[in-house]
């Protein structure tokens, strides 16, 4: 759900929404004058209940570049530990002056719950296996920088699709911009076809690699463990990891992406992380600019709504 003041997922998003944010992110990357005044005096609170390096840091940098103040809500040291309810916590943050919260949580739907208790802006920084909208936008920006118009370009997303919030958001953003999206993984880790209403699925990596313009390798989520009926992570890595040999089947122009963090030697050969065709560092850099665009858009709208 994407509303005027929240960024919760891309599930119901339309093409103009993604185009506008990608275009604004490109403007920020090129250097927007006086960008440090755009959110001056606004307060953005990071609520990360799960670990993060890229998303948390780049949201903080994005907020600060726009002139906002970034505060870290340390959940383990907060009064949540003393039994304060989520509703009261959000009320407290609002009373202190928070305009936006950026939340990551292991439960799908947690940011949507926060949005019901918080009259400011809520950004989803990753909820369970559901959504990671700004990763989807950062990946869309990376693809647009590489190819321009994505019409007819094929994006192949490989790995544990079923448990990946990145797969859903990156696939949706690329699809909205005109790309053909193909999901590849073991049958038990694929959605039913057509996935999410638009993506094709395959379990044949060797057959899928040569036709892809971009290959997005997913992280094996070792920390979430596996359940009895699911294939062990090592087996998935052996069958679906991108080795040097497998990467030679990619088209010469094709790029390699990964949302990070990378399990080197599992889903991706260590030598490929910084290979010429890798755009992994671009994805991280682009995360700052799409988060600037998203904060500006949602806080701008929130401003107008709450001014009434
Ligand atoms: N891609 C991503 O979400 O990375 P972090 O977990 O480091 O934020």
């Amino acid at each position: 759900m994407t509303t005027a003041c929240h960024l919760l997922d891309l599930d119901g998003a339309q093409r103009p929404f993604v185009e506008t944010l990608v275009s604004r992110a490109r403007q920020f990357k090129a250097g927007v004058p006086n960008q440090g005044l755009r959110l001056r005096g606004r307060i953005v609170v990071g609520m990360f209940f799960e670990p993060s390096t890229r998303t948390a840091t780049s949201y903080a940098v994005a907020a600060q570049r726009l002139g906002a103040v970034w505060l870290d809500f340390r959940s383990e040291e907060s009064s949540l530990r003393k039994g304060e309810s989520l509703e009261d916590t959000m009320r407290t943050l609002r009373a202190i002056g928070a305009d936006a919260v950026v939340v990551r949580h292991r439960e799908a739907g947690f940011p949507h719950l926060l949005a019901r208790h918080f009259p400011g802006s809520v950004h989803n920084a990753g909820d369970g296996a559901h959504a990671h909208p700004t990763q989807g936008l950062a990946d869309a920006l990376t693809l647009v920088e590489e190819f321009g118009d994505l019409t007819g370009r094929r994006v192949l997303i490989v790995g544990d699709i079923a448990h990946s919030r990145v797969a859903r958001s990156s696939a949706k953003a690329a699809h909205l911009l005109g790309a053909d999206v193909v999901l590849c993984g073991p049958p038990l880790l694929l959605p039913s076809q057509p996935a999410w209403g638009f993506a094709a699925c395959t379990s044949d990596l060797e057959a899928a690699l040569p036709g892809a313009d971009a290959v997005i390798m997913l992280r094996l989520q070792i920390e979430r463990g596996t359940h009895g009926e699911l294939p062990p992570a090592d087996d998935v890595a052996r069958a679906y990891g991108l080795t040097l040999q497998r990467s030679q089947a990619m088209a010469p122009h094709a790029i390699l992406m990964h949302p990070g963090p990378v399990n080197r030697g599992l889903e991706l050969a260590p030598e490929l992380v910084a290979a010429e065709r890798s755009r992994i560092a671009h994805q991280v850099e682009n995360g700052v600019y799409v988060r600037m665009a998203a904060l500006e858009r949602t806080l701008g709208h929130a401003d107008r709504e709450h001014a009434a």
Side-chain angles (χ1 to χ4, degrees), residues 260-283:
V262 176
N263 298 304
R264 288 172 183 251
L266 278 179
E267 70 268 7
L268 202 55
E271 301 85 346
L272 292 174
V273 174
E276 200 177 331
R277 65 165 87 240
S278 169
R279 297 294 180 272
I280 297 173
H282 291 62
Q283 290 171 270

Side-chain angles (χ1 to χ4, degrees), residues 208-215 246-255 277:
L209 277 172
D213 297 290
V215 177
R246 282 193 181 125
S247 75
Q248 285 163 14
M250 290 172 67
H253 73 277
I255 61 169
R277 65 165 87 240

